[in-house]
Amino acid sequence: MQLSVVILNYNVRYFLELCVLSVESALQKIDSEIIVVDNNSSDDSSEMIKSRFPNVKLIQNNQNVGFPKGNNIGVSQAKGEYICILNPDTVVAEDTFKKVLAFAQKQNNLGIVGVKLIDGTGNFLPESKRGIPTPWVAFTKITSLYKLFPKSSFFNKYYAQHLSENQTGEVEILVGAFMFLKKELYNEVGGFDEDCFMYSDDIDLSYMVLQKGKDNYYFHETAVIHYKGESTVKDGTYMKRFQEAMEFFYKKHFQISFLFSAFMKIGIVFFSLIKRIQGRPKNKSIPENYLLVSASESLVKIITALVQKKVDFLDWKAEKEVNLLSNSIRNGLQIILDNESVSFKECIEIHEQYRNKGVVFRIIPKGTNFSIGSDSPNDRGGIEKLK
């Protein structure tokens, strides 16, 4: 078997359904399997997988064992030569794994491959590619020096700014939302370190792979939506675990002075407080206009009844061209993409092309009665039932 996709889930049932739908579409011509590990969700995630995706291998843990152990459990059951660690709040294109697999097979010293991640508004997520957070690099991040000197190699290592978002190349650290590597290598480094509950586990795995002399790559030729923040509410527990995770990484890999350790602790608390503030729910603006991109005019009536406003319609079966949307773009617009007629790749392209245009996006996954999306990388996404 070529590829095993491991998805660790915790209480994000609707995002998981969208994710698995997209992964199924992307694996149709690849000898592969999907493994979903559920960390004792209290929603009906497991029941949904059993009923809708009977071919998916479901592993149900009786407690939340954390990100590292949960993924290690999934990988231990994987049969693929390659594995992909994938977050449940992601959407992949139909050709994502085909492209990444082809790229990986060409490398002579393959470590981990990461891809271009975008948020629910279509904006690039800079954590798609990062440098090793040495004390100095972490200092430039916490103090935002990397923003002041974006072209200086001395200051811009945290987000690997030697590469643009549209440039493939070697990087040091990749994000756990999408990590593609050989299972043999994963096992060789011991997988994710289970002493770290979450948050620095992807940094640690990337670093351990580098220590084995392997090359990690950022691959820009496919984009993946990562809604972010769906599996974690940024509360006091989040802040505590974030701080513990950073301390874990430094204690494991760096010898640092007491003075710098104290400074980093202050910085980590400050940084995690900012994350917590960013994660607070905000008053969401109600769209002024709606545009349904679909091949089903009957769906217009359903959405009109739901939003109580006029819903414009773009017949994707007749038009089917991303650029044709441009005439409809205006501030306060919500674009609703019907996955029955709009492919996942087209959904992702539309997100990217019309980012920062004052619009927001929703996807109606194929065979479902809900729409899903996120208007900010810091807020939890929205789920709206259509019936």
Side-chain angles (χ1 to χ4, degrees), residues 30 44 48 51 97 164 190 203 213 250 266 273 277 281-282 296 329 364 372 379 382-383 386:
I30 299 173
D44 66 339
M48 180 274 294
S51 62
F97 294 119
S164 73
I203 299 173
Y250 283 108
I266 294 170
L273 278 170
I277 293 169
K282 300 176 178 62
S296 172
I329 299 302
I364 303 175
I372 192 167
D379 291 340
I383 312 293
L386 301 182

Side-chain angles (χ1 to χ4, degrees), residues 212-226:
K212 288 290 183 181
K214 300 297 184 180
D215 300 323
N216 293 336
Y217 292 94
Y218 166 73
F219 179 68
H220 84 280
E221 293 180 31
T222 185
V224 170
I225 297 174
H226 180 207

Side-chain angles (χ1 to χ4, degrees), residues 8 69 149 270:
L8 178 66
K69 187 171 183 177
F149 305 98
F270 173 76

